[in-house]
Amino acid sequence: MDRKKVTISELMQKKEKGQKITMMTAYDYPTASLVDQAGIDTILVGDSLGMVVLGYDSTVPVTMDEMIHHCKAVSRGTKSSFVIGDMPFMSYHVSVEQAITNAGRFVKEAACDSVKLEGGTDMAPVIKAIVKAGIPVCAHIGLTPQTATMFSGFKVQGKDAESAKALIQSARDLEAAGAFMIVMECIPDILAARITKELTIPTIGIGAGKDCDGQVLVYHDLVGLFERFTPKFVKQYINLSPKIKEALIQYRTEVEDGTFPGPGHTFAMKKEEAEKI
Ligand code: KIV
């Protein structure tokens, strides 16, 4: 049975009813199709694609054109999951006008349902302007990989009372600015629970404990396709890399020893036609 497109009000209702919201990253057509068929509520085309798909060392070099290219493929592979396009570093920092223009590209060119951007209270005016233009925005606080250098690397955020209070204030300000959802990355579980309880919009955790309204993981971490490193908060549900390598080695061996292609993989020609060649 065909499921209908997930809506923001359904996501809000899930929070109200205490039902968990699911989010998974995807960066291409086949993965989006699998995530969609698995009944996951929301697909995030994360700028994590810079690392897990494009081979960059961080998310910083990812461009708008790269994001749009991948978002288009994901949208084509998605029927019902709600698609969120991640705004890359420097696509929403220079001016509010530029932020609106770039957010618009995700919706107009790549058929995304919404955009996500990183940052706390400082980003509230940008979110307000994009929402005013009619584009739903998901906020992202805590560990914000695009600006991790400013915080001396990839570290858990909000561990002391002062920084925890600042994150609570950011969450309040982003909700007030009109964000429909907020991703919280790498913050203590008690703090995530506190923010989740206070906000009316859903919170999605990644390394933020079980009391968020929903959870997100990077697809390549979940299926074991990213071998460079695995953060502590990841649960790997299947380890595909060794299985894929095994299949590739078997293919290479069979081509080299002539076992592939076998009779079942070739096309026959009538003998009399073959004799005329
Ligand atoms: O880019 C991304 O995949 C993300 C998630 C880790 C939340 O921002």
Side-chain angles (χ1 to χ4, degrees):
M1 199 182 70
D2 264 1
R3 292 187 309 131
K4 284 210 221 89
K5 189 82 177 173
V6 170
T7 63
I8 291 176
S9 63
E10 281 164 7
L11 299 173
M12 299 289 276
Q13 279 165 28
K14 279 199 154 190
K15 176 177 175 110
E16 280 156 26
K17 291 181 189 161
Q19 295 169 349
K20 293 290 183 186
I21 297 167
T22 49
M23 183 188 285
M24 178 54 47
T25 69
Y27 315 99
D28 56 31
Y29 173 88
T31 311
S33 180
L34 289 174
V35 174
D36 188 75
Q37 287 170 51
I40 306 256
D41 295 311
T42 57
I43 294 182
L44 170 65
V45 191
D47 64 351
S48 49
L49 78 83
M51 296 167 86
V52 299
V53 174
L54 301 178
Y56 297 140
D57 286 335
S58 76
T59 58
V60 170
V62 176
T63 65
M64 269 302 296
D65 286 344
E66 284 166 341
M67 287 308 304
I68 295 295
H69 175 77
H70 286 270
C71 285
K72 280 182 178 176
V74 167
S75 292
R76 286 193 287 265
T78 307
K79 282 191 182 143
S80 54
S81 304
F82 186 89
V83 179
I84 304 168
D86 211 1
M87 297 192 71
F89 187 49
M90 281 297 144
S91 68
Y92 53 97
H93 304 79
V94 177
S95 70
V96 169
E97 287 72 20
Q98 198 187 53
I100 297 171
T101 304
N102 283 327
R105 287 191 64 194
F106 279 92
V107 176
K108 280 173 73 86
E109 292 176 38
C112 287
D113 300 305
S114 67
V115 295
K116 174 171 89 57
L117 57 86
E118 296 181 4
T121 300
D122 287 352
M123 282 300 150
V126 178
I127 291 182
K128 201 170 180 179
I130 297 174
V131 172
K132 197 166 172 224
I135 300 167
V137 181
C138 173
H140 181 158
I141 59 167
L143 173 58
T144 45
Q146 292 175 2
T147 46
T149 314
M150 294 275 288
F151 306 103
S152 302
F154 289 76
K155 289 183 182 153
V156 179
Q157 302 294 308
K159 277 170 82 171
D160 58 81
E162 195 186 335
S163 60
K165 279 185 191 165
L167 281 171
I168 294 170
Q169 192 55 49
S170 282
R172 286 180 188 138
D173 293 342
L174 298 172
E175 174 172 83
F180 75 95
M181 192 151 75
I182 184 160
V183 168
M184 303 191 295
E185 180 165 353
C186 278
I187 63 171
D189 51 359
I190 293 174
L191 174 60
R194 164 78 197 272
I195 294 173
T196 301
K197 206 166 163 210
E198 187 169 325
L199 297 192
T200 58
I201 57 171
T203 61
I204 305 293
I206 175 161
K210 66 176 181 52
D211 291 322
C212 303
D213 296 310
Q215 296 292 327
V216 57
L217 279 179
V218 168
Y219 172 82
H220 287 65
D221 292 336
L222 178 129
V223 299
L225 277 179
F226 185 63
E227 294 182 301
R228 260 200 273 163
F229 65 88
T230 308
K232 180 187 171 195
F233 54 74
V234 167
K235 178 169 176 186
Q236 192 182 82
Y237 284 78
I238 185 171
N239 191 6
L240 286 183
S241 287
K243 291 189 170 61
I244 294 173
K245 260 184 250 169
E246 208 178 291
L248 292 170
I249 291 169
Q250 194 180 341
Y251 163 74
R252 195 201 75 211
T253 310
E254 289 188 9
V255 170
E256 285 171 356
D257 69 14
T259 324
F260 178 82
H265 307 112
T266 47
F267 301 98
M269 189 178 187
K270 285 194 182 127
K271 197 174 162 222
E272 58 271 26
E273 292 300 321
E275 281 166 0
K276 290 187 218 158
I277 300 174

PDB file of all heavy atoms in Angstrom, residues 6 29-30 47 60 92 95 101 121 125-126 135 156 180 220 226 255 258 265 270:
ATOM      1  N   VAL A   6       4.744  12.225   4.613  1.00  0.00           N
ATOM      2  CA  VAL A   6       4.736  12.620   6.031  1.00  0.00           C
ATOM      3  C   VAL A   6       4.677  14.149   6.093  1.00  0.00           C
ATOM      4  O   VAL A   6       5.351  14.838   5.310  1.00  0.00           O
ATOM      5  CB  VAL A   6       6.012  12.097   6.731  1.00  0.00           C
ATOM      6  CG1 VAL A   6       6.152  12.684   8.129  1.00  0.00           C
ATOM      7  CG2 VAL A   6       6.005  10.565   6.786  1.00  0.00           C
ATOM      8  N   TYR A  29      19.624   7.965  -4.846  1.00  0.00           N
ATOM      9  CA  TYR A  29      18.311   7.398  -5.177  1.00  0.00           C
ATOM     10  C   TYR A  29      18.069   6.030  -4.529  1.00  0.00           C
ATOM     11  O   TYR A  29      17.045   5.848  -3.856  1.00  0.00           O
ATOM     12  CB  TYR A  29      18.195   7.347  -6.711  1.00  0.00           C
ATOM     13  CG  TYR A  29      16.976   6.639  -7.215  1.00  0.00           C
ATOM     14  CD1 TYR A  29      15.781   7.336  -7.414  1.00  0.00           C
ATOM     15  CD2 TYR A  29      17.001   5.280  -7.498  1.00  0.00           C
ATOM     16  CE1 TYR A  29      14.647   6.687  -7.864  1.00  0.00           C
ATOM     17  CE2 TYR A  29      15.871   4.634  -7.950  1.00  0.00           C
ATOM     18  CZ  TYR A  29      14.698   5.341  -8.131  1.00  0.00           C
ATOM     19  OH  TYR A  29      13.581   4.691  -8.566  1.00  0.00           O
ATOM     20  N   PRO A  30      18.993   5.054  -4.684  1.00  0.00           N
ATOM     21  CA  PRO A  30      18.676   3.723  -4.125  1.00  0.00           C
ATOM     22  C   PRO A  30      18.560   3.726  -2.605  1.00  0.00           C
ATOM     23  O   PRO A  30      17.695   3.048  -2.036  1.00  0.00           O
ATOM     24  CB  PRO A  30      19.840   2.828  -4.596  1.00  0.00           C
ATOM     25  CG  PRO A  30      20.917   3.737  -5.026  1.00  0.00           C
ATOM     26  CD  PRO A  30      20.274   5.035  -5.423  1.00  0.00           C
ATOM     27  N   ASP A  47      24.971  17.190   5.133  1.00  0.00           N
ATOM     28  CA  ASP A  47      26.246  17.573   4.496  1.00  0.00           C
ATOM     29  C   ASP A  47      27.349  16.600   4.939  1.00  0.00           C
ATOM     30  O   ASP A  47      28.481  16.674   4.463  1.00  0.00           O
ATOM     31  CB  ASP A  47      26.611  19.037   4.775  1.00  0.00           C
ATOM     32  CG  ASP A  47      26.852  19.329   6.242  1.00  0.00           C
ATOM     33  OD1 ASP A  47      26.581  18.444   7.084  1.00  0.00           O
ATOM     34  OD2 ASP A  47      27.314  20.447   6.559  1.00  0.00           O
ATOM     35  N   VAL A  60      33.076  20.933   5.807  1.00  0.00           N
ATOM     36  CA  VAL A  60      33.324  22.337   5.422  1.00  0.00           C
ATOM     37  C   VAL A  60      33.395  22.562   3.897  1.00  0.00           C
ATOM     38  O   VAL A  60      32.816  23.530   3.394  1.00  0.00           O
ATOM     39  CB  VAL A  60      34.589  22.876   6.144  1.00  0.00           C
ATOM     40  CG1 VAL A  60      35.027  24.230   5.598  1.00  0.00           C
ATOM     41  CG2 VAL A  60      34.322  22.979   7.651  1.00  0.00           C
ATOM     42  N   TYR A  92      24.539  30.147   4.302  1.00  0.00           N
ATOM     43  CA  TYR A  92      23.513  30.919   5.024  1.00  0.00           C
ATOM     44  C   TYR A  92      24.131  31.900   6.018  1.00  0.00           C
ATOM     45  O   TYR A  92      23.445  32.450   6.872  1.00  0.00           O
ATOM     46  CB  TYR A  92      22.532  29.981   5.749  1.00  0.00           C
ATOM     47  CG  TYR A  92      23.180  28.947   6.655  1.00  0.00           C
ATOM     48  CD1 TYR A  92      23.310  29.161   8.027  1.00  0.00           C
ATOM     49  CD2 TYR A  92      23.664  27.751   6.137  1.00  0.00           C
ATOM     50  CE1 TYR A  92      23.897  28.218   8.859  1.00  0.00           C
ATOM     51  CE2 TYR A  92      24.256  26.805   6.962  1.00  0.00           C
ATOM     52  CZ  TYR A  92      24.374  27.044   8.308  1.00  0.00           C
ATOM     53  OH  TYR A  92      24.962  26.097   9.126  1.00  0.00           O
ATOM     54  N   SER A  95      24.647  36.565   4.296  1.00  0.00           N
ATOM     55  CA  SER A  95      23.529  37.512   4.441  1.00  0.00           C
ATOM     56  C   SER A  95      22.230  36.738   4.500  1.00  0.00           C
ATOM     57  O   SER A  95      22.152  35.592   4.027  1.00  0.00           O
ATOM     58  CB  SER A  95      23.485  38.497   3.265  1.00  0.00           C
ATOM     59  OG  SER A  95      23.093  37.806   2.099  1.00  0.00           O
ATOM     60  N   THR A 101      17.827  32.719  -0.616  1.00  0.00           N
ATOM     61  CA  THR A 101      18.031  32.260  -1.998  1.00  0.00           C
ATOM     62  C   THR A 101      18.492  30.804  -2.012  1.00  0.00           C
ATOM     63  O   THR A 101      17.978  29.976  -2.765  1.00  0.00           O
ATOM     64  CB  THR A 101      19.101  33.139  -2.700  1.00  0.00           C
ATOM     65  OG1 THR A 101      18.684  34.486  -2.609  1.00  0.00           O
ATOM     66  CG2 THR A 101      19.293  32.759  -4.153  1.00  0.00           C
ATOM     67  N   THR A 121      21.377  30.703  18.966  1.00  0.00           N
ATOM     68  CA  THR A 121      20.630  31.965  18.979  1.00  0.00           C
ATOM     69  C   THR A 121      20.999  32.894  17.813  1.00  0.00           C
ATOM     70  O   THR A 121      20.130  33.540  17.236  1.00  0.00           O
ATOM     71  CB  THR A 121      20.880  32.675  20.331  1.00  0.00           C
ATOM     72  OG1 THR A 121      20.414  31.790  21.360  1.00  0.00           O
ATOM     73  CG2 THR A 121      20.144  33.988  20.419  1.00  0.00           C
ATOM     74  N   PRO A 125      17.584  34.959  13.504  1.00  0.00           N
ATOM     75  CA  PRO A 125      17.058  35.857  12.450  1.00  0.00           C
ATOM     76  C   PRO A 125      17.056  35.198  11.060  1.00  0.00           C
ATOM     77  O   PRO A 125      16.151  35.455  10.263  1.00  0.00           O
ATOM     78  CB  PRO A 125      18.036  37.043  12.474  1.00  0.00           C
ATOM     79  CG  PRO A 125      18.716  36.975  13.803  1.00  0.00           C
ATOM     80  CD  PRO A 125      18.756  35.538  14.195  1.00  0.00           C
ATOM     81  N   VAL A 126      18.063  34.363  10.800  1.00  0.00           N
ATOM     82  CA  VAL A 126      18.146  33.692   9.490  1.00  0.00           C
ATOM     83  C   VAL A 126      16.979  32.702   9.360  1.00  0.00           C
ATOM     84  O   VAL A 126      16.284  32.650   8.328  1.00  0.00           O
ATOM     85  CB  VAL A 126      19.505  32.949   9.344  1.00  0.00           C
ATOM     86  CG1 VAL A 126      19.584  32.205   8.022  1.00  0.00           C
ATOM     87  CG2 VAL A 126      20.661  33.921   9.490  1.00  0.00           C
ATOM     88  N   ILE A 135       9.578  28.455   3.724  1.00  0.00           N
ATOM     89  CA  ILE A 135      10.372  27.222   3.710  1.00  0.00           C
ATOM     90  C   ILE A 135      10.575  26.742   5.150  1.00  0.00           C
ATOM     91  O   ILE A 135      11.169  27.453   5.971  1.00  0.00           O
ATOM     92  CB  ILE A 135      11.751  27.466   3.034  1.00  0.00           C
ATOM     93  CG1 ILE A 135      11.534  27.927   1.588  1.00  0.00           C
ATOM     94  CG2 ILE A 135      12.611  26.199   3.082  1.00  0.00           C
ATOM     95  CD1 ILE A 135      12.777  28.479   0.927  1.00  0.00           C
ATOM     96  N   VAL A 156      31.770  16.722  22.914  1.00  0.00           N
ATOM     97  CA  VAL A 156      30.443  16.815  23.510  1.00  0.00           C
ATOM     98  C   VAL A 156      30.242  18.252  23.997  1.00  0.00           C
ATOM     99  O   VAL A 156      31.146  18.841  24.602  1.00  0.00           O
ATOM    100  CB  VAL A 156      30.303  15.817  24.687  1.00  0.00           C
ATOM    101  CG1 VAL A 156      28.924  15.939  25.329  1.00  0.00           C
ATOM    102  CG2 VAL A 156      30.553  14.387  24.214  1.00  0.00           C
ATOM    103  N   PHE A 180      10.731  24.151  12.844  1.00  0.00           N
ATOM    104  CA  PHE A 180       9.676  23.138  13.089  1.00  0.00           C
ATOM    105  C   PHE A 180      10.229  21.921  13.830  1.00  0.00           C
ATOM    106  O   PHE A 180       9.466  21.087  14.330  1.00  0.00           O
ATOM    107  CB  PHE A 180       9.009  22.709  11.767  1.00  0.00           C
ATOM    108  CG  PHE A 180       9.862  21.787  10.924  1.00  0.00           C
ATOM    109  CD1 PHE A 180       9.698  20.410  11.003  1.00  0.00           C
ATOM    110  CD2 PHE A 180      10.812  22.291  10.055  1.00  0.00           C
ATOM    111  CE1 PHE A 180      10.482  19.555  10.231  1.00  0.00           C
ATOM    112  CE2 PHE A 180      11.603  21.440   9.288  1.00  0.00           C
ATOM    113  CZ  PHE A 180      11.448  20.081   9.373  1.00  0.00           C
ATOM    114  N   HIS A 220      25.662   5.563   6.453  1.00  0.00           N
ATOM    115  CA  HIS A 220      26.907   4.807   6.236  1.00  0.00           C
ATOM    116  C   HIS A 220      27.464   4.244   7.541  1.00  0.00           C
ATOM    117  O   HIS A 220      28.143   3.222   7.535  1.00  0.00           O
ATOM    118  CB  HIS A 220      27.941   5.687   5.513  1.00  0.00           C
ATOM    119  CG  HIS A 220      27.592   5.907   4.073  1.00  0.00           C
ATOM    120  ND1 HIS A 220      26.466   6.593   3.697  1.00  0.00           N
ATOM    121  CD2 HIS A 220      28.203   5.509   2.933  1.00  0.00           C
ATOM    122  CE1 HIS A 220      26.389   6.617   2.371  1.00  0.00           C
ATOM    123  NE2 HIS A 220      27.436   5.973   1.890  1.00  0.00           N
ATOM    124  N   PHE A 226      31.286   3.170   6.232  1.00  0.00           N
ATOM    125  CA  PHE A 226      32.286   4.232   6.412  1.00  0.00           C
ATOM    126  C   PHE A 226      33.337   3.702   7.379  1.00  0.00           C
ATOM    127  O   PHE A 226      33.068   3.523   8.566  1.00  0.00           O
ATOM    128  CB  PHE A 226      31.610   5.497   6.976  1.00  0.00           C
ATOM    129  CG  PHE A 226      32.537   6.681   7.079  1.00  0.00           C
ATOM    130  CD1 PHE A 226      33.108   7.231   5.943  1.00  0.00           C
ATOM    131  CD2 PHE A 226      32.836   7.247   8.316  1.00  0.00           C
ATOM    132  CE1 PHE A 226      33.961   8.327   6.030  1.00  0.00           C
ATOM    133  CE2 PHE A 226      33.685   8.339   8.409  1.00  0.00           C
ATOM    134  CZ  PHE A 226      34.247   8.885   7.261  1.00  0.00           C
ATOM    135  N   VAL A 255      36.126 -13.379 -13.177  1.00  0.00           N
ATOM    136  CA  VAL A 255      36.450 -12.805 -14.492  1.00  0.00           C
ATOM    137  C   VAL A 255      37.837 -13.280 -14.911  1.00  0.00           C
ATOM    138  O   VAL A 255      38.059 -13.717 -16.042  1.00  0.00           O
ATOM    139  CB  VAL A 255      36.389 -11.260 -14.456  1.00  0.00           C
ATOM    140  CG1 VAL A 255      36.960 -10.665 -15.742  1.00  0.00           C
ATOM    141  CG2 VAL A 255      34.955 -10.790 -14.257  1.00  0.00           C
ATOM    142  N   GLY A 258      37.751 -16.960 -15.839  1.00  0.00           N
ATOM    143  CA  GLY A 258      36.815 -17.303 -16.915  1.00  0.00           C
ATOM    144  C   GLY A 258      35.505 -17.930 -16.447  1.00  0.00           C
ATOM    145  O   GLY A 258      34.702 -18.362 -17.273  1.00  0.00           O
ATOM    146  N   HIS A 265      24.479 -16.062 -18.449  1.00  0.00           N
ATOM    147  CA  HIS A 265      24.642 -14.598 -18.524  1.00  0.00           C
ATOM    148  C   HIS A 265      24.922 -14.110 -19.938  1.00  0.00           C
ATOM    149  O   HIS A 265      25.335 -12.966 -20.131  1.00  0.00           O
ATOM    150  CB  HIS A 265      25.788 -14.148 -17.609  1.00  0.00           C
ATOM    151  CG  HIS A 265      25.668 -14.634 -16.201  1.00  0.00           C
ATOM    152  ND1 HIS A 265      26.528 -15.555 -15.656  1.00  0.00           N
ATOM    153  CD2 HIS A 265      24.755 -14.377 -15.241  1.00  0.00           C
ATOM    154  CE1 HIS A 265      26.170 -15.820 -14.416  1.00  0.00           C
ATOM    155  NE2 HIS A 265      25.092 -15.125 -14.143  1.00  0.00           N
ATOM    156  N   LYS A 270      21.272 -17.887 -33.419  1.00  0.00           N
ATOM    157  CA  LYS A 270      21.030 -19.104 -34.211  1.00  0.00           C
ATOM    158  C   LYS A 270      22.286 -19.459 -34.997  1.00  0.00           C
ATOM    159  O   LYS A 270      22.963 -18.579 -35.533  1.00  0.00           O
ATOM    160  CB  LYS A 270      19.859 -18.885 -35.164  1.00  0.00           C
ATOM    161  CG  LYS A 270      18.519 -18.920 -34.450  1.00  0.00           C
ATOM    162  CD  LYS A 270      17.384 -19.032 -35.451  1.00  0.00           C
ATOM    163  CE  LYS A 270      16.068 -19.023 -34.707  1.00  0.00           C
ATOM    164  NZ  LYS A 270      15.143 -18.022 -35.186  1.00  0.00           N
TER     165      LYS A 270
END
